[in-house]
Amino acid sequence: MKVSKLFKEFVESEKSSGIILIFCTLFSLYVTNSEWGNAYQHLWKTDVLGHSLEHWINDGLMTIFFLLVGLELEREIYIGELSKIKEASFPIIGALGGMIVPVIIYTIFNYGTETISGSAIPMSTDIAFALGILSLLGNKVPLSLKIFLTALAVIDDLGAIVIIGTFYSNGLDWTNLLLSLGTFALLGGLNFAKVRSIPLYLLGGIAMWYFMGQSGVHPTITGVLLAFAIPFDKGDHISISTKIQHFLHKPVSFGILPVFALANTAIILNTDTTSKLLETYSLGIFTGLSLGKPIGIFLFCLIASRLGISKLPKDLSWASIVGVGFLGGIGFTMSIFITNLSFNQASIVDVSKFSILLASLVSAIIGFSILSKSLKQK
């Protein structure tokens, strides 16, 4: 099986980043609940140019993360696992199941309540964490399983991006929205005209980000839009899309995501937090990730296989799909990101984040256990 150098680099950086994210999360939880807790929490609230440091991380730096996600999605569509319908259908259908079932479960728990706004929280897989756990299995993991998990996570990231852009907007300012989309159209025109200037696209991206932020739509969406405006030349190994993606891998994996983890897991663990783990929103998040994800991924893949829409790769078993389904329940980055957009009450945000961490831990343990037994040592 031929796999591009860029894909291998992506997997390697993501799995390493996942391990770093685990340490960052544990460190953040420890410091928050130590004698330095107040100072640590206040650090992220520090005012920088009129906004908190946490705001700049979540609305600014995460736009770069979304740009990398968009570039990876663009690559997958043009020359990767999503370029051939027959091969792409298996992870696409699995991803759809992994988004739909968790949302349904959360909605069942929270229908008619104020916390229904968090329905999208359990729908995404954290690719860095998931690949980090998968990498612990070493050479037992077939390449097709890594590709399946990567494609699955990229697709449901796209689903989450669509949900964010559609449902998490605050009172649209149409003038700024049209200015942002107009800039996107201009960049698309430059792409069509075969303009290949990286600074020009990046400056256009900054303008898009500013106008999008002023429009009421979350500005991180700009990252994905910019990715698809940037030229991707098939067969051209030095296309600017490839150059930018290559350049961003390590800064995002070893800089932006760890900082995001540190800023967003400053959760105080006390009886008030743990006593609310049985609240409807907490139960919806936990069951949506730890049960909804594996059930949705496995069930939709099985149905698609039985109907002949797609087929299970030859070197994989259904048990390994179940295992990957549980790894899909590791919903760290996107789930926390959507939590910040869903709720305004600090206590609900903290309990939701803690539920995400617990569900991700349970999913990681179960997924690792199933895969360690189902995969044969090479």
Side-chain angles (χ1 to χ4, degrees), residues 341-363:
L341 299 178
S342 300
F343 307 129
N344 294 319
Q345 192 173 330
S347 61
I348 293 179
V349 171
D350 280 351
V351 174
S352 297
K353 289 179 179 179
F354 189 48
S355 299
I356 292 167
L357 295 180
L358 286 177
S360 298
L361 176 62
V362 169
S363 298

Side-chain angles (χ1 to χ4, degrees), residues 106 110-119 280-281 342-343 345 348:
Y106 184 94
N110 293 273
Y111 183 75
T113 69
E114 293 182 356
T115 52
I116 190 65
S117 59
S119 297
T280 55
Y281 62 91
S342 300
F343 307 129
Q345 192 173 330
I348 293 179

Side-chain angles (χ1 to χ4, degrees), residues 95 99 105 136 139 164 223 313 350 353:
M99 289 186 280
I105 289 175
L136 298 177
N139 63 1
I164 291 169
D350 280 351
K353 289 179 179 179

Side-chain angles (χ1 to χ4, degrees), residues 62-255:
M62 286 302 285
T63 302
I64 301 173
F65 164 73
F66 276 79
L67 171 59
L68 180 59
V69 170
L71 290 171
E72 175 61 18
L73 181 63
E74 183 184 41
R75 189 199 69 80
E76 290 289 339
I77 290 173
Y78 282 120
I79 61 172
E81 288 305 300
L82 304 182
S83 62
K84 299 176 183 177
I85 297 298
K86 189 70 175 177
E87 294 178 6
S89 62
F90 197 66
I92 288 175
I93 292 170
L96 286 174
M99 289 186 280
I100 293 171
V101 175
V103 170
I104 291 174
I105 289 175
Y106 184 94
T107 302
I108 290 173
F109 275 103
N110 293 273
Y111 183 75
T113 69
E114 293 182 356
T115 52
I116 190 65
S117 59
S119 297
I121 293 173
M123 69 180 289
S124 293
T125 298
D126 188 291
I127 188 171
F129 262 124
L131 284 173
I133 298 300
L134 193 65
S135 70
L136 298 177
L137 293 163
N139 63 1
K140 294 172 66 175
V141 183
L143 185 58
S144 58
L145 194 62
K146 294 179 183 177
I147 291 174
F148 175 77
L149 177 58
T150 302
L152 185 86
V154 169
I155 293 163
D156 72 13
D157 272 355
L158 175 62
I161 289 164
V162 171
I163 294 295
I164 291 169
T166 306
F167 296 103
Y168 294 96
S169 302
N170 302 312
L172 289 180
D173 181 322
W174 285 100
T175 300
N176 280 296
L177 180 60
L178 289 175
L179 283 170
S180 183
L181 294 178
T183 305
F184 172 64
L186 177 62
L187 293 178
L190 293 175
N191 185 343
F192 184 76
K194 298 188 182 302
V195 175
R196 299 294 185 262
S197 170
I198 292 179
L200 198 57
Y201 285 99
L202 296 183
L203 286 173
I206 293 171
M208 282 172 60
W209 177 84
Y210 174 78
F211 291 130
M212 191 69 78
Q214 297 300 309
S215 75
V217 176
H218 203 276
T220 50
I221 300 301
T222 305
V224 178
L225 293 177
L226 178 59
F228 280 89
I230 292 172
F232 185 95
D233 303 311
K234 293 183 180 180
D236 183 358
H237 297 296
I238 57 171
S239 69
I240 66 172
S241 176
T242 301
K243 286 181 179 179
I244 295 173
Q245 188 181 353
H246 178 82
F247 175 79
L248 288 179
H249 273 153
K250 286 182 171 56
V252 169
S253 297
F254 303 111

